Amino acid sequence: MASHPLLQNFSAAVPDHHCQTANNTVPGSSWNFTSSDVLLKAYIPVDEGTKLSKCLQFSKPQWHLTFQNASFVNITETQKTPCQHGWSYDRTEFSETIVTEWNLVCDLRHLRQMSQSIYMGGVLLGALIFGSLSDKFGRRTILTWSYLQVGVVGTCTSFSPSFEIFCTLRFLTGMAVSGAVLNAVCLNVEWVPIRSRTIFGTLYAFSFSIGQMLLAGVAYTIRDWRKLQLTVSCPMLLCFMYSWWLPESARWLTLKNKPDQALRQIKKVARINGLANKGELVTLEVLKMHMQKEVESSKVIYTIYDLFRTPMMRRITLCLMTLWCCNSFAFYGLIMDLQKFGVSVFLVQLIFAAIDFPVKLLASASLMYFGRRRTLGGFMLLAGIMIISNAFIPYDMKTIRTSLAVLGKGLFGAAFTGVYIFTGELYPTVLRQTGMGFGSTLARVGSMTAPLIRMLEDYLPSLPSIIYSAVPIIAASAVIFLPETLNMPLPETIDDVEVQRKKEKRQQNKDMEKKIPSLSTKL
C-alpha cells in the first residue's frame, strides 16, 4: 500500500532533456555531423555555463557555433524559440516515465505536480466516502473492497492510453488506498487491548516503512513506469483474497445489533490466541452487559456535525484538524520531490524509509512513557526545525541537506503514527470511524496542497521549504489543548468524552489550589 502514494517519485521522474534537433546535416554542404555534442551547439542555446537549455532552441541553426571558440558569439533572445520538434530525454536512469511519454516539461511541467494533487484528491474523497460506509457496512467489508479496488484500478492504470485517463485512474486508486488505511487502523484500535495499542500502532507504521524500502528496490529494478505500476498493483489482489479471513470488529457487530456474530468473532479470536477456555466464558448476556452503554448510544444516528456539537468534542476536532492537515502537508511536501536533493532518487527513497525504524521505535517508547501530547508536539516541532534549517543551506552541500531532510522525514512519519493513535483514542466508539475519516480528509487537503506549493520555486527556490517547515512548527501548539490518553480506556459515547473533560477541569482546579497555598507560603 505504501508504494502508491510515493510512486510519483519514479513514475513521474523528470530526466535531463533538451529540444529535439531536426537533422544533422548542414544545408548546402556535404558536411555531416557524427557527434551529437557538436550538432547540439548549432541547435540548442546554453543556459548556465555549459548546460543546455531545456525549453528553447535557435530559430535557425547557428552552424558557426560548432567551430572552436565560437561559443563566445553573442546570441540575442530574438534568435531563440520554444522547442519545435519535441524533446530529447536522457534515458540512462529511467527508460520511460509519464513525463517522457506525454512531454510534461516546460509549459506543461506543472501537470506533473497536478497529477499528484489529483491522486490526493481521490484519497480525500475516499476518506469521506469509505469512512461513512464502514460505519454502515462494517470495517472488514470496506477493507476488502478497498483492496480489490486498488488491485484492479492500479493494474488498469499501467495501460493508460492518455494523461487524462491516467489521472482519472490514479484518483480512483487514491480513494481505495484511503479506505484501506482507515479501516485497517480502525480494526487495530477496536481489537487490540489498551496495553498493546501503542506497540501495534508502531508495528503497523513499520509495515509502511518496509513497503517504502521495497519500492526503492523495485523501482531500481524496473525503470519503465507502466511495468512499475503493474508490479506494485497486482499484489493487492492477494491482500483482497486473504482479507476474507480477517475478523470483523466485535464492537461494530454489537452496535449493529448482531451480538451472535460478535460472539462468534470473539470466540474465534480467543481460539487463535490459545485462550479457547476463556472464550467459552463469554456469553451473549456478558457481551450485552459489557456493551450496554454503547448499544444504547448506537440507536442515535451520528454525523460529522456531532464532532462539533459539544465543547470537548469541538475542541478535540479542531485541534486534530490542525494536526492532521499540517503534518500531512509538510510530510508530502518533503517526500514528493526526491530529485531536488541531487542524489540518486533510489538511494534517497531507501534512506527515507530506513530512518523510520529508529525514529518510530523512539516514538513508540516516547508515546508509552511521555504520553501522546508531548511526543506528537515535540516531533512536529523538531521536524519543522530540520526543514527550515535546510532552506538556508547551499545546494552544493548535498550531504548535509539530505541528512536534515531524512531526519525531518523520519520525525514527520513518527508524528503520523502518533496522530493516528491519538485520534483513535480521543474519539468515542460511536464516532471513531467518522472522526478518523474526517481527520484523514483534512490530511488529504494538506497533501493535495503540498505539490502545488512546489510551483513557488519559480519565484524563490527556498520558499517552498520555508512554508513546509513553518506550518508544522505553528501547528505543534495544538496539542496543548488536547487531553492525555496514555493508559486511558477508550471512550464509548460522547458523554464519556464530556465526563473526561469535567474530570480534567477538576484536576486542574486541584492543582491550582495546591499551587496557591505554596505561593502564599513563599511570599
Side-chain angles (χ1 to χ4, degrees):
M1 191 68 71
S3 300
H4 289 276
L6 304 178
L7 204 56
Q8 182 92 352
N9 282 321
F10 306 99
S11 63
V14 184
D16 286 336
H17 55 277
H18 57 75
C19 296
Q20 181 71 50
T21 56
N23 55 61
N24 64 341
T25 302
V26 180
S29 76
S30 59
W31 295 354
N32 187 63
F33 288 101
T34 56
S35 173
S36 59
D37 292 337
V38 175
L39 178 66
L40 290 176
K41 290 183 180 181
Y43 279 95
I44 313 298
V46 174
D47 276 345
E48 302 171 3
T50 59
K51 193 172 182 181
L52 296 173
S53 174
K54 296 179 182 292
C55 302
L56 295 175
Q57 67 177 61
F58 291 124
S59 55
K60 294 180 180 180
Q62 307 294 311
W63 299 113
H64 58 280
L65 293 179
T66 60
F67 297 103
Q68 190 175 8
N69 297 327
S71 57
F72 298 102
V73 178
N74 184 35
I75 304 296
T76 63
E77 291 297 325
T78 56
Q79 292 177 282
K80 300 176 185 178
T81 182
C83 298
Q84 302 296 311
H85 307 287
W87 288 264
S88 178
Y89 297 96
D90 180 1
R91 299 183 185 272
T92 55
E93 192 169 30
F94 295 96
S95 60
E96 191 75 271
T97 69
I98 64 169
V99 172
T100 60
E101 182 163 339
W102 293 308
N103 291 322
L104 306 182
V105 293
C106 298
D107 291 342
L108 299 180
R109 67 186 183 280
H110 295 313
L111 290 180
R112 173 179 175 268
Q113 305 291 358
M114 188 65 69
S115 66
Q116 181 66 15
S117 291
I118 290 172
Y119 169 82
M120 290 301 178
V123 178
L124 187 155
L125 186 61
L128 288 172
I129 293 176
F130 289 121
S132 300
L133 288 179
S134 68
D135 284 335
K136 185 176 182 180
F137 297 106
R139 288 32 168 156
R140 197 207 69 176
T141 302
I142 300 302
L143 180 64
T144 300
W145 170 261
S146 298
Y147 284 158
L148 177 62
Q149 184 172 326
V150 173
V152 173
V153 177
T155 300
C156 292
T157 304
S158 63
F159 299 99
S160 301
S162 66
F163 179 69
E164 292 77 13
I165 293 178
F166 169 82
C167 289
T168 302
L169 293 174
R170 284 284 287 167
F171 180 86
L172 294 175
T173 302
M175 287 182 62
V177 167
S178 183
V181 171
L182 284 174
N183 285 282
V185 170
C186 198
L187 278 175
N188 269 335
V189 170
E190 295 186 353
W191 270 116
V192 176
I194 295 173
R195 65 182 181 277
S196 306
R197 203 179 297 147
T198 302
I199 296 174
F200 271 80
T202 304
L203 288 174
Y204 180 76
F206 279 164
S207 68
F208 268 78
S209 302
I210 294 170
Q212 292 174 27
M213 294 181 72
L214 289 174
L215 175 62
V218 173
Y220 181 81
T221 306
I222 303 172
R223 306 296 182 94
D224 184 284
W225 79 268
R226 292 184 182 274
K227 295 176 182 177
L228 179 61
Q229 177 74 41
L230 185 64
T231 302
V232 302
S233 298
C234 287
M236 296 309 304
L237 298 175
L238 297 176
C239 297
F240 162 72
M241 287 187 282
Y242 84 64
S243 65
W244 290 95
W245 174 82
L246 295 174
E248 180 57 273
S249 168
R251 288 174 178 268
W252 179 85
L253 288 169
T254 305
L255 292 176
K256 291 300 178 180
N257 199 27
K258 299 177 181 179
D260 294 334
Q261 295 182 37
L263 191 62
R264 283 200 298 272
Q265 296 290 359
I266 290 173
K267 292 181 183 296
K268 174 184 175 181
V269 170
R271 286 196 303 273
I272 293 171
N273 290 340
L275 301 171
N277 293 333
K278 290 186 177 182
E280 294 300 323
L281 298 177
V282 182
T283 63
L284 284 177
E285 290 73 22
V286 173
L287 182 62
K288 289 178 180 178
M289 181 179 66
H290 181 74
M291 299 287 291
Q292 183 177 1
K293 189 191 297 183
E294 285 187 89
V295 171
E296 290 176 356
S297 298
S298 68
K299 295 176 182 178
V300 182
I301 298 176
Y302 293 96
T303 63
I304 290 179
Y305 166 74
D306 292 291
L307 298 177
F308 300 90
R309 186 161 54 87
T310 62
M312 190 59 181
M313 289 295 297
R314 188 159 50 247
R315 186 206 298 182
I316 288 173
T317 301
L318 290 174
C319 290
L320 288 178
M321 284 171 60
T322 303
L323 293 171
W324 276 94
C325 184
C326 296
N327 194 65
S328 180
F329 171 80
F331 179 82
Y332 282 101
L334 179 62
I335 67 171
M336 285 317 303
D337 193 7
L338 301 185
Q339 288 183 298
K340 68 178 179 290
F341 297 110
V343 185
S344 169
V345 291
F346 309 106
L347 178 61
V348 176
Q349 175 66 47
L350 184 63
I351 298 173
F352 266 32
I355 192 63
D356 283 345
F357 291 95
V359 174
K360 287 181 179 177
L361 280 174
L362 177 63
S364 179
S366 181
L367 286 167
M368 288 190 289
Y369 293 104
F370 297 107
R372 282 41 168 158
R373 293 198 309 172
R374 293 179 181 177
T375 300
L376 182 55
F379 275 43
M380 287 184 68
L381 183 62
L382 286 174
I385 292 173
M386 295 289 180
I387 306 308
I388 202 167
S389 300
N390 224 352
F392 301 100
I393 295 177
Y395 184 79
D396 294 338
M397 303 175 69
K398 295 178 182 179
T399 303
I400 296 177
R401 285 174 53 83
T402 304
S403 299
L404 288 175
V406 167
L407 289 173
K409 186 269 178 183
L411 291 168
F412 279 132
F416 249 131
T417 302
V419 78
Y420 264 110
I421 295 172
F422 209 10
T423 302
E425 293 176 341
L426 284 169
Y427 282 124
T429 301
V430 293
L431 276 170
R432 184 166 297 119
Q433 192 63 359
T434 302
M436 289 289 289
F438 188 68
S440 183
T441 299
L442 269 296
R444 303 320 151 197
V445 171
S447 58
M448 280 178 64
T449 310
L452 304 179
I453 296 297
R454 183 65 59 189
M455 298 178 187
L456 297 177
E457 285 180 330
D458 294 345
Y459 305 100
L460 181 64
S462 61
L463 184 56
S465 295
I466 295 173
I467 296 174
Y468 290 142
S469 57
V471 168
I473 289 174
I474 296 171
S477 60
V479 299
I480 298 172
F481 306 100
L482 291 172
E484 183 56 69
T485 58
L486 179 63
N487 295 326
M488 299 291 290
L490 290 178
E492 308 291 358
T493 65
I494 294 178
D495 289 339
D496 289 346
V497 176
E498 293 303 317
V499 168
Q500 188 180 23
R501 173 174 173 265
K502 292 177 182 177
K503 288 181 180 179
E504 182 184 350
K505 276 192 170 183
R506 284 198 295 268
Q507 185 61 43
Q508 289 176 351
N509 291 335
K510 288 181 182 179
D511 293 340
M512 186 62 69
E513 289 172 0
K514 290 179 182 179
K515 289 179 181 179
I516 291 176
S518 61
L519 181 61
S520 301
T521 303
K522 289 180 181 179
L523 291 173

